[in-house]
Amino acid sequence: MYRTNTCGELRITNLNQEVTLAGWVQKARKFGGMIFVDLRDRYGITQLVFNQEIDAALCEQAAKLGREWVVQVTGKIAERSNKNPNIPTGDIEIIASKLTVLNPSETPPFTIEDESDGGDDLRMKYRYLDLRRTPVRANLELRHRMAFATRSYLNENRFLEVETPVLIGSTPEGARDFVVPSRMNPGEFYALPQSPQTLKQLLMVSGFDRYFQIVKCFRDEDLRADRQPEFTQIDCEMSFVEQEDILNIFEGLTKYLFKTIKNIDLPDFPRLPYADAMKLYGSDKPDTRFGMQFVEIKDLTTGKGFGVFDGAEYVGAIRVEGCASYTRKQIDELTEFVKRPQIGAKGLVYVRYDADGSLKSSVDKFYSPEDLQKWVEKTEAKPGDLILILCGVTEKTQKQLGELRLEMGARLGLRDKNQYNCLWVVDFPLLEYDEELNRYFAKHHPFTGPKPEDIPLLETNPGAVRANAYDIVINGVEVGGGSIRIHNSELQKKMFSVLGFSDEQAQAQFGFLMNAFKYGAPPHGGIAFGLDRFVSIFAGLDSIRDCIAFPKNNSGRDVMLDAPSVIAQEQLDELYLKIELPEK
Ligand code: ASP
């Protein structure tokens, strides 16, 4: 037997027991005639003591131990004279009587401590060592608990977990596919699923009624802090449901996770129509931990000789509480912020409503104190507040103002990681127009159903059609999204034609689905949660990478495995592939 106990479980109540532990040497320090060793495993750290006076040979053996050696130790539990209140085993230590080195270790390239001295790249290269660190391991433990609780909730609600294939044909979710060449079918490729969307819909046609899968999805997109080329979804689909049923079940899942994992009771989630989300927050995933909603003031700004406002389609303001004292420098910083190419505003107008009631703005030349007073009333500003204003084309400006709002929220400490605000954004538009390509795209995906009352608009004004589609948003992060699907092959055909597919193209790509719909497809709908994002919110992480065991870096590389990599000529030949790279 390698061990009788783990390194995290022994307490003062175990005094005088003889135990055997196994684990890694976190650190060893000499103190007079004694050697103290912190022995670590997944469960915690226990202090070992080797005493020169009790056993000199053993002590000599212990003196050779290095960091991260794997050892087995037998000894008796004693009370520590110098207790460590920071760890659960801090009241006791093991007076060692036997030591076996199970495996020595080279000195690790960085310290395996909560705060490591290793940089990002180094820790990624040696990810298996990084994973020994408690905070990193804790994220994966949390992930396990969330996945486990999810399975339990869905199982209780009669969902069946069904595996769908990873080698499939292309699924159009708007991103690029990862493809895999087929040796047995020369010149042909599988695609890795961007999601099991069409397959889960086919399972509904099969009568599975309630499906889920915790499943890897693959999208060849540019990477960001909240995006990885492969990521995990909690993918779900239900039959004989309306939007309301789905929102209830999955609001239930979210509340269940918060309760079981964090012991937080969440109130019911507000439902915000997409149009209002854009109008009030300039985002379809608003961070509702704080207010600072937009106020449109175009009507108050026009006709006073300020051409910039006069010519703008939209003039929007946010009221920033208590910031009238912002200095010139701080305002300049904000102006620089909104002018960054990623945001793209042309400038920023401000009004300071000083504590003494006086008004000072960057457009005093055009607006009298009486004019500004009206802005104050409409934005409900109080003395001491700062009003920030952007103008331009409506949608673009709302997005810019949305970024500024988030920035102000962050500066004012209103985005507290320990506060959780969940909401549903509903009534998304069905379609989105791409000015460059001159055509409509499905905002969610082409299987999303229009609101029945909006179906006639598909002919006359497709851009105005609302979908039975919804997103779940927590603290400004889109954690999940889904829709009620089209289950009628005629309507599905119509949808493909609005999206610019010819009948032949639609048949070639989605014939299997449209055919299936001819054989008694039930009304159905579903949702998918991004598990990585969900876990990072629970863990308070800035990047989803930290809750993935072996993540890829921002160039999509696994630096530990050195993937992707070139493959042997024979492999290429077998697949009839020729690589020709453009000259640099
Ligand atoms: N397949 C969709 C997605 O990955 C989710 C859904 O509609 O259920 O976003």
Side-chain angles (χ1 to χ4, degrees):
M1 188 161 65
Y2 272 112
R3 58 182 177 187
T4 55
N5 296 85
T6 69
C7 296
E9 66 182 309
L10 298 171
R11 302 283 184 275
I12 196 85
T13 46
N14 301 103
L15 225 51
N16 295 323
Q17 285 175 14
E18 178 160 285
V19 293
T20 301
L21 302 182
W24 287 261
V25 173
Q26 172 102 1
K27 56 176 173 258
R29 42 192 197 285
K30 253 195 153 119
F31 198 79
M34 314 237 257
I35 295 173
F36 294 96
V37 173
D38 284 348
L39 190 68
R40 182 196 69 234
D41 66 9
R42 182 186 128 193
Y43 308 93
I45 290 180
T46 299
Q47 176 163 291
L48 315 175
V49 189
F50 297 86
N51 193 333
Q52 180 90 43
E53 274 168 27
I54 298 177
D55 189 335
L58 189 66
C59 216
E60 203 173 300
Q61 205 192 344
K64 297 199 185 93
L65 295 177
R67 281 200 286 141
E68 300 307 312
W69 286 37
V70 186
V71 300
Q72 181 189 40
V73 176
T74 301
K76 212 178 218 169
I77 302 172
E79 186 168 357
R80 264 162 89 157
S81 54
N82 199 355
K83 297 199 168 60
N84 179 355
N86 298 322
I87 56 173
T89 61
D91 286 351
I92 57 108
E93 60 196 4
I94 313 286
I95 310 294
S97 54
K98 188 170 173 231
L99 169 67
T100 310
V101 173
L102 300 174
N103 213 344
S105 166
E106 288 190 15
T107 306
F110 49 84
T111 52
I112 316 281
E113 307 269 352
D114 288 5
E115 296 291 336
S116 173
D117 62 356
D120 234 18
D121 290 347
L122 195 62
R123 286 189 292 107
M124 281 301 155
K125 179 149 191 236
Y126 295 91
R127 182 64 168 171
Y128 46 90
L129 296 180
D130 200 27
L131 288 170
R132 283 186 193 163
R133 295 169 51 228
T134 302
V136 186
R137 192 193 54 244
N139 292 337
L140 289 169
E141 285 171 353
L142 170 67
R143 186 185 178 106
H144 160 79
R145 281 187 281 128
M146 288 181 72
F148 199 83
T150 298
R151 285 200 163 90
S152 145
Y153 175 89
L154 292 174
N155 179 57
E156 284 298 309
N157 282 282
R158 301 200 315 268
F159 283 78
L160 291 177
E161 185 161 23
V162 180
E163 288 172 83
T164 52
V166 171
L167 296 175
I168 63 169
S170 172
T171 45
E173 304 258 353
R176 235 175 255 122
D177 285 321
F178 280 103
V179 295
V180 178
S182 165
R183 181 182 56 82
M184 289 198 286
N185 303 276
E188 296 187 328
F189 293 80
Y190 300 101
L192 305 182
Q194 294 186 29
S195 88
Q197 184 60 37
T198 50
L199 293 154
K200 68 175 174 176
Q201 291 192 241
L202 292 176
L203 287 172
M204 294 303 107
V205 178
S206 307
F208 275 75
D209 198 64
R210 291 182 172 200
Y211 141 96
F212 87 99
Q213 185 180 190
I214 298 188
V215 62
K216 271 291 172 75
C217 301
F218 306 85
R219 294 182 193 175
D220 189 0
E221 296 175 300
D222 293 335
L223 305 178
R224 296 193 305 238
D226 63 349
R227 271 202 199 145
Q228 283 271 308
E230 55 177 296
F231 59 97
T232 306
Q233 284 191 342
I234 305 167
D235 190 46
C236 308
E237 197 76 4
M238 304 171 77
S239 290
F240 304 113
V241 285
E242 292 173 337
Q243 172 165 314
E244 193 57 28
D245 302 304
I246 298 195
L247 299 194
N248 286 334
I249 287 271
F250 292 99
E251 184 165 325
L253 168 65
T254 308
K255 286 178 175 168
Y256 177 78
L257 290 175
F258 270 98
K259 182 69 192 168
T260 50
I261 309 280
K262 288 183 122 19
N263 199 22
I264 292 176
D265 288 295
L266 289 178
D268 289 345
F269 302 178
R271 304 194 179 163
L272 186 66
Y274 169 85
D276 291 350
M278 296 310 291
K279 211 167 98 186
L280 296 173
Y281 304 101
S283 165
D284 58 5
K285 43 178 193 314
D287 185 343
T288 51
R289 281 173 294 185
F290 63 103
M292 226 188 274
Q293 294 176 345
F294 300 178
V295 180
E296 198 178 337
I297 56 165
K298 167 85 185 157
D299 54 328
L300 302 180
T301 60
T302 307
K304 304 281 176 174
F306 185 41
V308 179
F309 278 179
D310 286 354
E313 184 185 10
Y314 172 88
V315 182
I318 52 173
R319 175 179 74 90
V320 191
E321 223 174 287
C323 285
S325 54
Y326 259 38
T327 59
R328 180 81 240 174
K329 186 161 164 272
Q330 284 171 302
I331 302 264
D332 286 348
E333 263 172 35
L334 294 179
T335 309
E336 285 314 308
F337 173 82
V338 296
K339 281 167 118 179
R340 286 168 13 177
Q342 304 93 305
I343 299 186
K346 294 221 173 62
L348 173 71
V349 169
Y350 70 85
V351 181
R352 284 201 190 104
Y353 189 15
D354 282 326
D356 64 6
S358 63
L359 286 159
K360 173 95 195 72
S361 84
S362 52
V363 286
D364 279 349
K365 250 206 309 206
F366 304 99
Y367 299 96
S368 67
E370 291 73 40
D371 291 330
L372 297 179
Q373 189 58 42
K374 292 198 182 112
W375 303 6
V376 161
E377 278 157 29
K378 189 149 187 201
T379 57
E380 297 179 8
K382 309 266 166 316
D385 292 350
L386 176 70
I387 302 172
L388 298 174
I389 303 162
L390 293 180
C391 73
V393 186
T394 305
E395 205 178 308
K396 211 165 126 194
T397 311
Q398 286 174 335
K399 284 188 182 154
Q400 295 165 346
L401 196 54
E403 295 292 340
L404 180 62
R405 174 181 174 271
L406 290 178
E407 171 70 14
M408 294 317 296
R411 281 175 183 242
L412 297 179
L414 302 173
R415 304 178 71 186
D416 176 1
K417 280 188 174 153
N418 295 311
Q419 187 193 329
Y420 302 94
N421 275 53
C422 309
L423 76 151
W424 291 103
V425 176
V426 295
D427 302 347
F428 274 84
L430 183 69
L431 303 160
E432 207 170 20
Y433 197 72
D434 187 311
E435 303 282 347
E436 262 165 49
L437 297 174
N438 236 329
R439 51 162 283 209
Y440 282 107
F441 279 87
K443 181 131 181 118
H444 188 46
H445 51 56
F447 318 109
T448 294
K451 288 205 177 286
E453 63 269 30
D454 287 2
I455 291 179
L457 289 174
L458 272 177
E459 304 282 354
T460 53
N461 185 6
V465 177
R466 290 163 310 154
N468 267 327
Y470 33 79
D471 276 355
I472 183 165
V473 176
I474 307 179
N475 293 358
V477 177
E478 179 204 325
V479 172
S483 58
I484 296 295
R485 325 297 184 190
I486 297 169
H487 65 280
N488 161 309
S489 53
E490 281 310 306
L491 184 57
Q492 186 66 70
K493 217 161 131 184
K494 169 96 214 138
M495 181 71 180
F496 285 132
S497 100
V498 173
L499 294 174
F501 285 78
S502 70
D503 276 355
E504 295 74 46
Q505 283 170 329
Q507 198 56 40
Q509 268 205 50
F510 303 109
F512 66 95
L513 190 69
M514 286 190 291
N515 279 341
F517 283 176
K518 293 181 190 151
Y519 293 95
H524 62 285
I527 191 168
F529 286 76
L531 179 63
D532 314 281
R533 287 187 190 169
F534 216 166
V535 177
S536 7
I537 288 178
F538 270 55
L541 302 172
D542 293 323
S543 165
I544 62 169
R545 267 205 256 169
D546 299 328
C547 68
I548 296 174
F550 299 106
K552 300 196 172 33
N553 73 8
N554 279 345
S555 332
R557 298 201 69 85
D558 184 320
V559 290
M560 181 184 68
L561 301 175
D562 196 19
S565 58
V566 290
I567 56 174
Q569 188 60 46
E570 299 85 80
Q571 272 178 298
L572 289 172
D573 292 346
E574 229 167 34
L575 297 164
Y576 303 97
L577 290 180
K578 266 206 178 66
I579 307 287
E580 239 173 78
L581 296 176
E583 290 191 20
K584 283 247 169 85

